[in-house]
Coordinates of all heavy atoms in Angstrom, one line a residue:
A1 N 2.2 -12.0 -7.7 CA 2.5 -12.6 -9.0 C 1.2 -13.3 -9.4 O 1.3 -13.8 -10.6 CB 3.6 -13.6 -8.9
D2 N 0.1 -13.1 -8.9 CA -1.1 -13.9 -9.4 C -2.0 -13.1 -10.2 O -3.2 -13.1 -10.1 CB -1.9 -14.3 -8.2 CG -1.3 -15.5 -7.4 OD1 -0.4 -16.2 -8.2 OD2 -1.7 -15.8 -6.3
G3 N -1.4 -12.2 -11.0 CA -2.2 -11.5 -12.1 C -2.6 -10.1 -11.7 O -1.9 -9.5 -10.6
I4 N -3.4 -9.5 -12.3 CA -3.5 -8.0 -12.1 C -4.1 -7.7 -10.7 O -3.7 -6.6 -10.1 CB -4.5 -7.4 -13.3 CG1 -4.4 -5.9 -13.3 CG2 -5.8 -7.9 -13.2 CD1 -3.0 -5.3 -13.6
Y5 N -5.1 -8.4 -10.1 CA -5.7 -8.1 -8.9 C -4.6 -8.2 -7.9 O -4.4 -7.3 -7.0 CB -6.8 -9.1 -8.6 CG -7.4 -8.8 -7.3 CD1 -8.4 -7.8 -7.2 CD2 -7.1 -9.6 -6.2 CE1 -9.0 -7.4 -6.0 CE2 -7.8 -9.3 -4.9 CZ -8.7 -8.2 -4.9 OH -9.2 -7.9 -3.6
G6 N -3.8 -9.2 -7.9 CA -2.8 -9.4 -6.8 C -1.8 -8.3 -6.8 O -1.5 -7.7 -5.7
S7 N -1.4 -7.9 -8.0 CA -0.3 -6.8 -8.1 C -1.0 -5.5 -7.7 O -0.4 -4.7 -7.2 CB 0.3 -6.8 -9.4 OG -0.6 -6.6 -10.4
T8 N -2.2 -5.3 -8.1 CA -2.9 -4.0 -7.8 C -3.2 -3.9 -6.3 O -3.0 -2.9 -5.6 CB -4.2 -3.9 -8.6 OG1 -3.9 -4.0 -10.1 CG2 -4.9 -2.6 -8.2
F9 N -3.6 -5.0 -5.7 CA -3.9 -5.1 -4.4 C -2.7 -4.8 -3.5 O -2.7 -3.9 -2.6 CB -4.5 -6.5 -3.9 CG -4.6 -6.8 -2.5 CD1 -5.7 -6.2 -1.9 CD2 -3.6 -7.3 -1.8 CE1 -6.0 -6.4 -0.5 CE2 -3.8 -7.5 -0.4 CZ -5.0 -7.0 0.3
Y10 N -1.6 -5.4 -3.8 CA -0.3 -5.2 -3.0 C 0.2 -3.8 -3.2 O 0.7 -3.1 -2.3 CB 0.7 -6.2 -3.2 CG 0.3 -7.6 -2.5 CD1 -0.1 -8.6 -3.2 CD2 0.4 -7.7 -1.1 CE1 -0.4 -9.8 -2.5 CE2 0.1 -8.8 -0.5 CZ -0.3 -9.9 -1.2 OH -0.7 -11.1 -0.6
L11 N 0.1 -3.3 -4.4 CA 0.6 -2.0 -4.7 C -0.1 -0.8 -4.0 O 0.4 -0.1 -3.3 CB 0.6 -1.7 -6.1 CG 1.1 -0.2 -6.6 CD1 2.7 -0.2 -6.6 CD2 0.6 0.0 -8.0
A12 N -1.4 -1.0 -4.2 CA -2.4 0.0 -3.5 C -2.3 0.0 -2.1 O -2.2 1.0 -1.4 CB -3.7 -0.1 -4.1
T13 N -2.5 -1.2 -1.5 CA -2.5 -1.2 -0.1 C -1.2 -1.1 0.5 O -1.0 -0.5 1.7 CB -3.2 -2.5 0.4 OG1 -2.3 -3.6 0.0 CG2 -4.7 -2.8 -0.1
G14 N -0.2 -1.5 -0.1 CA 1.2 -1.2 0.4 C 1.6 0.4 0.5 O 2.0 0.8 1.4
F15 N 1.2 1.0 -0.7 CA 1.3 2.5 -0.6 C 0.4 3.2 0.5 O 1.0 4.1 1.1 CB 1.0 3.2 -2.0 CG 2.2 3.2 -2.9 CD1 2.0 2.7 -4.2 CD2 3.4 3.7 -2.5 CE1 3.2 2.7 -5.1 CE2 4.6 3.8 -3.2 CZ 4.4 3.2 -4.6
H16 N -0.7 2.7 0.6 CA -1.5 3.2 1.7 C -0.9 2.9 3.0 O -0.9 3.9 4.0 CB -2.9 2.7 1.6 CG -3.8 3.2 2.7 ND1 -4.2 4.5 2.8 CD2 -4.4 2.5 3.8 CE1 -5.0 4.6 3.8 NE2 -5.1 3.6 4.4
G17 N -0.4 1.7 3.4 CA 0.2 1.4 4.6 C 1.3 2.3 4.8 O 1.6 2.7 6.0
F18 N 2.2 2.6 3.7 CA 3.4 3.5 4.0 C 2.9 4.8 4.3 O 3.4 5.5 5.2 CB 4.1 3.5 2.5 CG 5.3 4.5 2.8 CD1 6.4 4.2 3.3 CD2 5.1 5.6 1.9 CE1 7.4 5.1 3.3 CE2 6.1 6.5 2.0 CZ 7.4 6.3 2.7
H19 N 1.8 5.3 3.7 CA 1.2 6.6 4.1 C 0.8 6.6 5.5 O 0.8 7.7 6.2 CB 0.3 7.1 3.1 CG 0.9 7.6 1.8 ND1 1.0 6.8 0.8 CD2 1.2 8.7 1.4 CE1 1.7 7.5 -0.3 NE2 1.8 8.8 0.2
V20 N 0.1 5.6 5.9 CA -0.3 5.4 7.3 C 0.9 5.6 8.3 O 0.8 6.4 9.3 CB -1.1 4.2 7.6 CG1 -1.3 3.9 9.1 CG2 -2.4 4.3 7.0
L21 N 2.0 4.9 8.0 CA 3.1 4.9 8.8 C 3.7 6.3 8.9 O 3.9 6.9 9.9 CB 4.1 3.9 8.2 CG 5.6 3.8 9.0 CD1 5.4 3.5 10.2 CD2 6.5 3.1 8.1
I22 N 3.8 7.0 7.7 CA 4.3 8.4 7.7 C 3.4 9.3 8.4 O 3.8 10.1 9.3 CB 4.4 9.0 6.2 CG1 5.4 8.1 5.4 CG2 4.7 10.5 6.2 CD1 6.9 8.1 6.1
G23 N 2.0 9.1 8.4 CA 1.2 9.9 9.0 C 1.2 9.7 10.5 O 1.1 10.6 11.4
A24 N 1.4 8.4 10.9 CA 1.5 8.1 12.3 C 2.8 8.8 12.9 O 2.9 9.3 14.1 CB 1.6 6.6 12.7
L25 N 4.0 8.8 12.2 CA 5.2 9.5 12.6 C 5.0 10.9 12.6 O 5.5 11.6 13.5 CB 6.3 9.2 11.7 CG 6.8 7.7 11.6 CD1 7.9 7.6 10.5 CD2 7.4 7.4 13.0
F26 N 4.2 11.5 11.7 CA 3.9 13.0 11.7 C 3.1 13.3 13.0 O 3.3 14.4 13.6 CB 2.9 13.2 10.5 CG 3.0 14.6 9.9 CD1 2.3 14.9 8.7 CD2 3.6 15.6 10.6 CE1 2.3 16.1 8.2 CE2 3.6 16.9 10.1 CZ 2.9 17.2 8.9

């Protein structure tokens, strides 16, 4: 909630972390 950097940071790194999890399961 701390502005555009915080929301962009959590969105982008969260999606990347999700893809890492999917890749690890793969």
Side-chain angles (χ1 to χ4, degrees):
D2 285 344
I4 192 70
Y5 182 79
S7 59
T8 303
F9 173 82
Y10 284 105
L11 177 76
T13 59
F15 271 128
H16 179 70
F18 175 73
H19 283 92
V20 168
L21 178 64
I22 297 301
L25 293 175
F26 206 172

